[in-house]
Amino acid sequence: MSGNSATHGWRLPLRLSVAELSSHRMRTAITGLAVLFGVAALLVMSSMARGMEDSNRQLYLQMGGAQILIATPKEAGDQSEQARFSRSGGLRLSDVAILMQALPEFDAWVPELSMGRGEIRSTTGRLRAMGTASTWDRFDVLGIEFDTVDNLTQHGWESGEAMAVIGPEVATQLKREVVVGSSVIVGGVPVRVAGIFKTTGKFDRRSYEAMVPLNWYKKVQAKGDPQLAQLRARVANLDEQLQALVDLETG
């Protein structure tokens, strides 16, 4: 086949296609718009899916990843469980020392106490914040980073100094030019703001958190042997995770 014949071979279908499109302009325009909207919708859905994946990954990492097992209070599912749970004191702070001795496959323990609504305040009024009391290990286990710190040390934290680390949205509510080094009121007692959490934005739950040392909160606010809101335990060897989960549940 000569080059001239090959050229005519594709020109004729092209001319016929252009003629067909020109004779049905409205249908062509509608079809083109449908294709355009379809591609745009696909791009938007793909972008949303990537955003959700990144958000879920960030949340997963904040929880500690695969090596972290979490024990939280369970709601009674029926009257039998309700009667059984009523006889239990729940997971107490004193239980952590017992678990540490009994379960050597875990190399870090992070007990947490939750504060009641309204316990976190500024000098001018209530702050929209979630209060948590925990140990220094929480920073390490969850890979927590800070935007700003001032004299935030492990020794000061574990010795029970009156200090707090707050989220950026809590800091914004204080309406001060310099937040770190100022004070917030926790349960009626002023504590120094020693740091601000680094977060991914307003939808990051840590943005609204105010965390204080567990030893300080236990000494000043919590009476006796407080019940934990949550206990995180880190498995030293990931291969032992399933057995460690069984041991934690029965421990």
Side-chain angles (χ1 to χ4, degrees):
M1 181 180 292
S2 67
N4 189 44
S5 299
T7 302
H8 285 294
W10 65 262
R11 283 184 176 178
L12 179 58
L14 178 61
R15 286 200 299 270
L16 292 175
S17 299
V18 171
E20 178 68 17
L21 292 175
S22 300
S23 62
H24 299 88
R25 293 182 179 179
M26 181 62 70
R27 184 178 65 186
T28 301
I30 293 174
T31 303
L33 286 174
V35 172
L36 179 62
F37 287 140
V39 172
L42 180 61
L43 292 174
V44 170
M45 291 177 64
S46 177
S47 177
M48 290 177 63
R50 284 197 299 270
M52 292 176 64
E53 182 181 353
D54 292 342
S55 177
N56 289 337
R57 183 184 299 112
Q58 183 67 28
L59 179 61
Y60 180 66
L61 292 175
Q62 282 190 8
M63 293 173 64
Q67 285 185 259
I68 307 301
L69 302 180
I70 305 175
T72 55
K74 179 184 176 183
E75 295 290 336
D78 52 38
Q79 291 184 347
S80 175
E81 282 192 344
Q82 189 173 4
R84 189 168 73 253
F85 289 177
S86 66
R87 297 191 296 269
S88 171
L91 187 61
R92 300 283 174 175
L93 185 58
S94 60
D95 295 327
V96 179
I98 299 173
L99 291 171
M100 291 174 65
Q101 293 293 326
L103 305 177
E105 60 265 44
F106 294 95
D107 65 354
W109 296 83
V110 183
E112 293 182 16
L113 301 178
S114 289
M115 303 176 202
R117 296 185 63 181
E119 282 199 63
I120 311 297
R121 306 179 66 87
S122 69
T123 54
T124 58
R126 178 179 169 182
L127 296 173
R128 188 157 59 99
M130 301 178 297
T132 303
S134 191
T135 61
W136 180 267
D137 282 342
R138 186 171 186 257
F139 299 134
D140 175 53
V141 167
L142 299 185
I144 294 175
E145 298 180 340
F146 310 96
D147 273 330
T148 313
V149 296
D150 176 39
N151 197 26
L152 176 63
T153 66
Q154 181 175 359
H155 178 268
W157 191 274
E158 293 296 357
S159 64
E161 289 185 14
M163 64 173 69
V165 179
I166 63 177
E169 293 301 315
V170 181
T172 299
Q173 296 174 62
L174 293 177
K175 298 179 180 178
R176 295 172 186 159
E177 291 186 11
V178 180
V179 173
V180 175
S182 64
S183 296
V184 292
I185 311 299
V186 180
V189 181
V191 301
R192 179 177 60 87
V193 177
I196 299 176
F197 290 121
K198 179 180 289 186
T199 66
T200 58
K202 289 185 178 182
F203 296 105
D204 187 333
R205 66 179 301 276
R206 199 163 288 143
S207 294
Y208 292 91
E209 184 176 5
M211 178 181 166
V212 299
L214 179 60
N215 285 335
W216 174 84
Y217 189 72
K218 181 178 63 173
K219 176 176 60 179
V220 177
Q221 301 295 334
K223 307 301 180 183
D225 188 15
Q227 184 173 353
L228 300 180
Q230 187 167 256
L231 175 63
R232 287 184 172 91
R234 184 176 64 192
V235 183
N237 186 349
L238 188 57
D239 294 336
E240 299 178 357
Q241 184 196 37
L242 293 179
Q243 184 58 47
L245 177 59
V246 173
D247 292 344
L248 183 61
E249 288 179 342
T250 57

